[in-house]
Amino acid sequence: MGRAGVREEPLLAVHKGGWGAAGPAAATSRLQWLEGCAAAGVPAWVLRNLRALTAPIAAACRPNSWTFDAVVVAVDISQLTARSARLCLKTYIEALVDMLHEYDTTAPQIRTAAAPLVAANFLSAVSRATSSAADLARHLQLPATQAQFAAFGAEYGPEVLSRISADALSSFDATAGQCLNLCSGLLQKEASRAGAGPLPPVASRLAAALRDSQLLAASARSIMTYPGPHYILLPGQGGNRAGGSRAGAVQPGLRFWPHVYESTRALALLNEAAAELHSGGGAAAPCAASALGTALAHPHVAALRLGLLQTLWEQAGMEPGPGERCDVEGYDIAVDNPDMLVHHHHNTVLATLGLWQEGRQGLLAAPDEACLPPEPGVPPGLQLAMAAARTAEALCRLSRGQGLAGVYTAEQRRLLSRGEVYLEDTLPFTLPRHPRSSEELPHWAEASAWVIAAALEGLEVAAANVECPGGEEATTGTREGLISRLRRAGLGASLDHALRLAFSSADRAAAPGALERDRQLALALGPGRPWVGTLLAVPASHGLAAAYDVSGVALTLAKRASLLGRRLEAVAASGRPGAASALPGGPMLESAGWLAAALGHCAALLRPHIGGLPKWGRGAAAEPAPAPHMPADGSAPGGELEAYFFQAASRLAVQLGADVAACQSTAAAGPDSPPLPALTWMGAGAVLADCFDHVSALCSAPGSQAPARLLACQPHRLIAAACKLLVAWRPAGGDPKEVEQRGRMQRALAITAMRLAAHPSLSARVRRWLVTSGPSEFEAAGVEDEAGAAAAADEEEADEEEAEHGCLEQLWIEGWRSSNGWGVAGGSFFSLPFALLRLAQGDGPGGRWAADAAFRSSALELLGWAVRAEGGGSEPLPQLLQWLLRSRGGESSSEAARAATAALCAPLPPLLSVPPEGRALLKLRVCGFPGCASFGGRSEAGLELRKCGGCRAVRYCGPDCQRAHWGQGHRVECRAMAEAEGRMRASGVVE
C-alpha cells in the first residue's frame, strides 16, 4: 500500500505577518536573525525559565499539603513562563520551519541554528513544563481543590485560576507542537537525504531525544487535558478538560487555531520518518526508527490518536461509538485558512490509521504495532477494520459537504478530492502480515465502498466542478446493521462506476492520439481493477449477499467480457491463439484473467438477487415444475440479466480457456515464454465452472426459453475449452488454491456433461459431439435421430449437424486422461466422464449403435447415481457403470504426449445456431452490439438506449453500434428476432 504524503501548510502562511519571502536573500536574512537570537541567549534564557517552572507547580499540586498562595504563585509563574516562551520561540521556530524548504542548499546552517532547540535537554524541559502545566490544570478541576478554595474564602475562586491555567496550558501546547514540527521536519529531511546510505549522527541524536524527552507524550497529554478555547473538543476529555463546560467552549463563529493541527501534523511527519528510517541503510537507521516508534506508541499518544479519530467521526456527523449520538448542528467554524481543516483531516488519518497500519504490517518498529487503545473483547485486527470503515465513511461524508453543519465549502471539497490518495490508509494491505479473520473482511469491504465512492465523486468534482450527492444516516451493530451499512455505502453502485471509469479511460488511453491526461488516468485506475474481485468475494463468503446490488456490476462486467471475448477471438482467427497482445490496461490474457475472476465472484452474488434457476446439485430431473417466484418462461428482468451475463461470460471463458491452454503448448509458446500468472489460470477455471453451473441449472429450468438460452451459451465450446485447460493446467508447486479451483472445474464439467446427455432435446446432440461418425452410419443401423428429420429438410442445418460429429471426442479423451478426473467409488482408474464416452460409442447394453433413447436413458441412470454420490451418499456402483468401467488397453507415453499436443492445438468446435428466443432481451437495458465499447456514465442505465426499429428486441447506445451490428449479423437475424418477439408477447412472456 502506497503512503500518501503529509499535507503541509507552512505555519508562516497560517500566521499572517511571518516570514513570507523566499529565495537566497531571504534565507540569508533569516539565518542572520537566528544567529543574533542565539548570540543574545534566547534559547538558553527560555531553557532556564522552563526548568524553573516545575518546582512551584509541584508544590501547588502536592497532595494534602498545598496552600492557596502556592497555587496562585504556580498559576502566575505558569502564565508568565508560557507567554514568554511562546513570544521568544514562535517566530524563531517559524523561521526555521520555513527554511526547511531550502534544506538541500542550507542544511549545515539550519542544523547549527536549530541545534539549541532540538537538543535533548531543551526538549526535555519543554516536555516537563508542558506536563507540569497539565498537572496544574487538572489539579484545579478536582472537587477537593475547589472545595478547599471555597473554605479559604479567596478573593477570586477556582474558575478564574482555571481559566488562566488553561490559557497557559494552551500556550505550552502550542510551543510543544512547534518544537515537534521542527523536529519532525528535520528528521524527515535527514532520512530522505540519507536514503540507503548511512544516517547522519544528528538524526540519530534527534530520534533518541524525542524518545527520552517524551515530548510527544507530554503534548498529547496536554491536548487531552485541554486543547484550547478555539478548537472543537476531543471526545474523551470530559471533566478532565480545563476552562469550563462544553457549551461554553464551543461557540458559533470561533476560529480554528493551529495548536492541535501542529501536533497532528508532527505525528504524521514522524510516522513517515519512522517508516523511512525503518527501511533505510546503515546500522544507525534501525535504531533511530526504533526510538521514534517507541515515542509514537506511548499510551498518551495512542489516547490522543484515538481522540483525533473520534473527533473526525464526530465532525462528519457520526457517533463516536455504538449507541451514542453526537449533535454537530451547533458547530460553525470560521477557518482562518480555508485549506487548514482539510489538511488537518488528512494528517489525522495518516497519524492514526496510517501509523497503525504500518506498525501492524511491520513497516516500522513500534511497541504493540502502534495500535490504538484496545477495545475490551475486540481483537486488534477487527478493531482496525471497524475504525477504517468508520473513518472512510466520515471522509466521504465530509467530501460531500455533510457534517460540521456544512462548514466544508465547495472549494474545500475540491481540495479534499485532489488529495484523495490518503484514503489508502483506510484500505487493507493486499498481502497482510497477519491473516485476516472472517469478521474483519466485511468491515474492510465497507471501508473500500466509501473510499471508491469518495474517490470517484472527487474525480467528478475536480473535472466538472459539480456538487457531490448526499448520504444517509449511520446504523450500528449486528449482521443486519452491517448489511444496512454496506447498502448505504453503495458498494455495488460504486464498483460499477469505478469499472466503467477504468474501462473507458483504458480505451481512451489506448486509442491513437490519446491525451496524456487519459494515459495518466488509466494508469492511476488500472491497479484498482483487481480489487473488484476481492470486494465481490467478501459478501459471497460471509453471508452478506443481501448487502450488494450487483446488477449494475454484472451488466458492466458482462459487456466488457463480450468485448474482450471478441478481441480474443480475433487474435485466434489471425492464427496467433494465446498471443499476449496488448489490450487496454495490460496484456490480453492477464486483463482477461482478472476479468474472468471478477465474473466468477459476481456470479456467486447474482443468483441470490434474481433467483429462478436451481443449483446443479438439486435433483436429476430434466423438467421440474416451474419455480413459484419466477414466470414459467423465465422472462423476469433478472432472468434476462442472468442470461446476458452468462452468455457473455461463456464467450470470454471459451476463448480464454483455449488460449491459456495453447500458451502452454510447444507450438504456441517458445521455451523462453514466461509462465502465465496463477490469476489467469484460476480466472479461466473459475468462470468456466460458473458457466457450467449455469448450463446445468438451465438443463432443469422450466419454460420454453431455457433450451434456447442454453444453446446460446455454446455448451460444446465450453466443454472443449475446459478439456484443453485440463490437459495444460498443472498447478505450480501443488498450490492448494489452484488444485481446488481445478477440481471444481472438473466436477462442474463432469456433471454438466451428464445433464446435457440426459436432456430430452440435447441428448442426441451430445452423442454426436462425442463420436466421430457420419449420419450414414446411424441410418444404416436403423436409428431414427430425434433431430434428423428436421436437419434433412434444411441443408444448412444438415451441414451444421455434420460439423458437430466428433467435435469433442479427441478433446474429451485427452482432457480426462490428463488427470485422475472425477473419481468414482471403488477407486477405479476410469472416470465417470469416460463412461459417458463409452455410452456414446455404443458400448452399453443394446449393441454398438443403440438408439439415442437408450443413450439418454443410460445417461439419466448415471446422472442419478452421480448426484447421490456427490451429495455424500454411499451408493454402490450400478451394473451399467461396472460394465462401462471394465479394463481397456493403454497407450505409450509418446503416443499420449502427441495426442495431448494435438488436443491443445485443435480448433474449437464451430458455433451452434441459436433460436432467436435465446438471444432476445426485451426488458434488459443494455446495448445489443457485442462489440460495444461505450462505458460512459455511472451505469449502463445512464446510456441513452434505443430499440431497433425492425425487431424491437435489441437496444443500441448509438447509431455507430447499430450500424456495426447490422453489418455483422443483425441484418440476417432481424426478421427472426421480430418474429420471436411476437411469439414471446403472444405467450405472455412480455406484456
Side-chain angles (χ1 to χ4, degrees), residues 423-557:
L423 291 169
E424 290 182 357
D425 286 313
T426 63
L427 294 174
F429 277 87
T430 305
L431 299 174
R433 189 173 64 156
H434 300 289
R436 297 191 185 99
S437 68
S438 59
E439 294 178 311
E440 297 173 35
L441 293 176
H443 296 284
W444 285 120
E446 182 186 356
S448 302
W450 289 113
V451 168
I452 292 172
L456 292 174
E457 290 168 11
L459 284 173
E460 289 184 339
V461 170
N465 196 25
V466 298
E467 295 294 326
C468 291
E472 302 295 331
E473 290 301 315
T475 58
T476 60
T478 72
R479 179 174 298 275
E480 291 73 18
L482 182 56
I483 289 175
S484 178
R485 291 201 304 273
L486 285 171
R487 284 176 178 168
R488 181 171 43 80
L491 181 57
S494 294
L495 286 179
D496 192 15
H497 188 189
L499 282 172
R500 298 183 73 85
L501 188 60
F503 291 152
S504 60
S505 64
D507 291 340
R508 288 197 303 270
L515 299 176
E516 179 62 24
R517 178 183 61 188
D518 294 330
R519 287 192 288 268
Q520 290 296 326
L521 182 59
L523 187 64
L525 292 173
R529 291 178 303 179
W531 274 97
V532 173
T534 303
L535 293 174
L536 290 173
V538 171
S541 58
H542 291 78
L544 299 173
Y548 287 34
D549 178 9
V550 295
S551 56
V553 176
L555 203 58
T556 296
L557 287 174

Side-chain angles (χ1 to χ4, degrees), residues 297-668:
H298 192 281
H300 290 331
V301 179
L304 172 62
R305 290 166 55 215
L306 179 59
L308 289 168
L309 208 52
Q310 290 175 334
T311 300
L312 175 62
W313 301 340
E314 185 176 352
Q315 290 171 345
M318 303 162 60
E319 68 276 17
E324 300 177 37
R325 296 298 305 170
C326 288
D327 180 13
V328 297
E329 292 303 319
Y331 291 176
D332 181 14
I333 306 172
V335 182
D336 225 5
N337 186 309
D339 299 345
M340 192 170 181
L341 189 59
V342 178
H343 295 163
H344 174 66
H345 288 155
H346 177 109
N347 292 333
T348 294
V349 176
L350 297 183
T352 54
L353 293 179
L355 178 56
W356 193 357
Q357 288 250 55
E358 295 202 340
R360 188 168 174 79
Q361 191 67 9
L363 298 180
L364 58 83
D368 300 322
E369 298 177 337
C371 66
L372 295 178
E375 294 183 22
V378 180
L382 179 58
Q383 183 184 355
L384 173 59
M386 294 168 65
R390 293 183 58 75
T391 304
E393 180 182 359
L395 295 170
C396 188
R397 286 177 59 84
L398 289 170
S399 71
R400 292 170 172 174
Q402 301 166 345
L404 288 172
V407 75
Y408 260 46
T409 65
E411 176 58 33
Q412 287 173 310
R413 294 198 295 276
R414 281 190 289 273
L415 179 66
L416 188 69
S417 72
R418 290 197 296 270
E420 78 274 356
V421 177
Y422 73 100
L423 291 169
E424 290 182 357
D425 286 313
T426 63
L427 294 174
F429 277 87
T430 305
L431 299 174
R433 189 173 64 156
H434 300 289
R436 297 191 185 99
S437 68
S438 59
E439 294 178 311
E440 297 173 35
L441 293 176
H443 296 284
W444 285 120
E446 182 186 356
S448 302
W450 289 113
V451 168
I452 292 172
L456 292 174
E457 290 168 11
L459 284 173
E460 289 184 339
V461 170
N465 196 25
V466 298
E467 295 294 326
C468 291
E472 302 295 331
E473 290 301 315
T475 58
T476 60
T478 72
R479 179 174 298 275
E480 291 73 18
L482 182 56
I483 289 175
S484 178
R485 291 201 304 273
L486 285 171
R487 284 176 178 168
R488 181 171 43 80
L491 181 57
S494 294
L495 286 179
D496 192 15
H497 188 189
L499 282 172
R500 298 183 73 85
L501 188 60
F503 291 152
S504 60
S505 64
D507 291 340
R508 288 197 303 270
L515 299 176
E516 179 62 24
R517 178 183 61 188
D518 294 330
R519 287 192 288 268
Q520 290 296 326
L521 182 59
L523 187 64
L525 292 173
R529 291 178 303 179
W531 274 97
V532 173
T534 303
L535 293 174
L536 290 173
V538 171
S541 58
H542 291 78
L544 299 173
Y548 287 34
D549 178 9
V550 295
S551 56
V553 176
L555 203 58
T556 296
L557 287 174
K559 183 175 178 178
R560 193 66 175 186
S562 178
L563 176 64
L564 191 53
R566 283 170 54 91
R567 291 173 175 173
L568 287 169
E569 289 168 358
V571 173
S574 68
R576 298 182 292 120
S581 306
L583 278 183
M588 180 177 287
L589 295 187
E590 184 178 349
S591 179
W594 82 257
L595 179 57
L599 286 166
H601 294 308
C602 190
L605 291 171
L606 189 59
R607 190 163 296 153
H609 282 278
I610 60 180
L613 294 180
K615 286 190 175 181
W616 65 263
R618 296 180 183 172
E623 296 182 65
H629 57 281
M630 182 177 178
D633 285 292
S635 62
E640 289 192 350
L641 172 60
E642 190 168 13
Y644 177 78
F645 178 87
F646 281 103
Q647 288 172 24
S650 296
R651 184 170 197 169
L652 176 65
V654 165
Q655 200 60 55
L656 176 62
D659 284 0
V660 165
C663 274
Q664 299 303 103
S665 69
T666 306

Side-chain angles (χ1 to χ4, degrees), residues 13-25:
V14 176
H15 305 290
K16 295 179 175 60
W19 301 89

Side-chain angles (χ1 to χ4, degrees), residues 108-299:
Q109 296 91 328
I110 294 176
R111 289 172 185 162
T112 301
L117 303 187
V118 298
N121 60 345
F122 191 89
L123 297 180
S124 296
V126 176
S127 175
R128 284 193 293 269
T130 304
S131 294
S132 297
D135 290 337
L136 181 60
R138 288 174 182 267
H139 178 68
L140 290 170
Q141 290 296 304
L142 294 175
T145 304
Q146 296 184 9
Q148 191 69 20
F149 266 96
F152 286 145
E155 180 179 351
Y156 43 86
E159 295 81 6
V160 176
L161 293 176
S162 294
R163 186 172 61 252
I164 297 173
S165 176
D167 288 339
L169 180 58
S170 178
S171 294
F172 276 123
D173 181 58
T175 299
Q178 284 198 305
C179 289
L180 286 172
N181 264 286
L182 176 60
C183 294
S184 61
L186 279 172
L187 263 176
Q188 191 184 46
K189 292 295 184 181
E190 293 291 352
S192 299
R193 282 164 59 90
L199 189 68
V202 62
S204 299
R205 290 195 300 269
L206 184 50
L210 284 170
R211 177 196 60 200
D212 298 339
S213 68
Q214 297 193 3
L215 180 58
L216 269 174
S219 176
R221 183 167 175 262
S222 71
I223 292 173
M224 294 304 290
T225 299
Y226 183 65
H230 307 295
Y231 186 72
I232 296 175
L233 299 184
L234 293 165
Q237 290 176 303
N240 290 328
R241 66 179 181 270
S245 67
R246 178 191 183 95
V250 182
Q251 296 291 340
L254 291 178
R255 286 183 167 184
F256 175 92
W257 277 29
H259 301 170
V260 178
Y261 169 89
E262 292 168 4
S263 297
T264 307
R265 177 177 175 272
L267 280 173
L269 281 170
L270 289 173
N271 176 20
E272 287 194 341
E276 196 161 359
L277 289 171
H278 184 71
S279 60
C287 295
S290 178
L292 279 185
T294 301
L296 288 166
H298 192 281

